[in-house]
Amino acid sequence: MPLALNHPVELSLWIALGLLVLAVLTAVAGRWLFKRGLREPFVVRLINRGSDRIVEAVKRPITIAVLDEVASVLETGNYTRNIASALEENRAELMEMVAEKIKDDPTAGAINLLPFHDRIIAQASETTLRVILEVLADPRTDELVSDLLRDNVNQIRKAVREQT
């Protein structure tokens, strides 16, 4: 299948990637020659200097392009549903863990004196997990997580663009 470059940014990224690969290969060759007691050939030094300049020139645009792609993926995720799914998958272990934590809690020590305390703790664990799953299923929680991600991505994007 032929490579279709429909966007100038794609072409620029492929060129930058090719130059980066060339730079890495020349750096490896230079190190190999240096370890064998040979000086780097003039061409290798020239390519290294040129590739360093090129890498410095394309580093920021590539970082910003990748960040924009990651941001667009993050904005479309259903993270609270994923968390709810993982909690549901591990429901038995979570119930056991919550019950254990309640029993070990020093402020809940009086519960151990009540008759049927294990059943009370199991019911509290079940209720806790059910409420957490309902909160995660609520669309307002999805909106909260989206806002958190958007604000963090915007902050990262601003910091990357302001770097000198």
Side-chain angles (χ1 to χ4, degrees):
M1 173 184 275
L3 180 64
L5 300 174
N6 300 327
H7 199 277
V9 174
E10 280 184 53
L11 180 61
S12 300
L13 289 175
W14 280 110
I15 291 170
L17 181 64
L19 291 172
L20 184 64
V21 168
L22 181 62
V24 169
L25 290 175
T26 56
V28 168
R31 285 189 183 92
W32 182 79
L33 290 170
F34 187 74
K35 284 182 180 179
R36 299 219 169 8
L38 302 173
R39 283 188 49 212
E40 287 181 319
F42 172 74
V43 174
V44 173
R45 281 195 311 266
L46 184 66
I47 291 174
N48 280 339
R49 284 188 206 133
S51 64
D52 287 345
R53 289 184 192 134
I54 291 170
V55 167
E56 285 301 316
V58 298
K59 181 170 56 173
R60 184 171 318 287
I62 290 175
T63 302
I64 291 171
V66 169
L67 180 62
D68 288 341
E69 290 296 319
V70 170
S72 68
V73 169
L74 286 175
E75 289 169 0
T76 61
N78 298 314
Y79 304 102
T80 57
R81 287 188 210 127
N82 297 343
I83 294 169
S85 174
L87 290 175
E88 190 63 46
E89 186 177 315
N90 296 294
R91 188 182 198 103
E93 294 86 358
L94 285 169
M95 295 266 304
E96 184 180 315
M97 185 172 32
V98 170
E100 177 184 308
K101 297 300 177 188
I102 291 173
K103 285 180 183 179
D104 293 343
D105 190 302
T107 60
I111 291 178
N112 291 331
L113 301 175
L114 293 173
F116 307 110
H117 67 276
D118 286 334
R119 190 166 182 183
I120 293 170
I121 291 173
Q123 188 62 44
S125 301
E126 178 66 33
T127 302
T128 301
L129 190 56
R130 189 177 63 251
V131 168
I132 289 172
L133 290 172
E134 288 174 10
V135 166
L136 289 171
D138 193 308
R140 294 173 290 186
T141 306
D142 264 337
E143 182 64 29
L144 171 70
V145 171
S146 291
D147 291 346
L148 288 168
L149 286 172
R150 183 191 66 240
D151 292 344
N152 284 318
V153 167
N154 287 339
Q155 181 181 1
I156 293 168
R157 196 179 275 143
K158 181 181 174 188
V160 167
R161 288 191 171 131
E162 288 178 354
Q163 276 184 343
T164 56

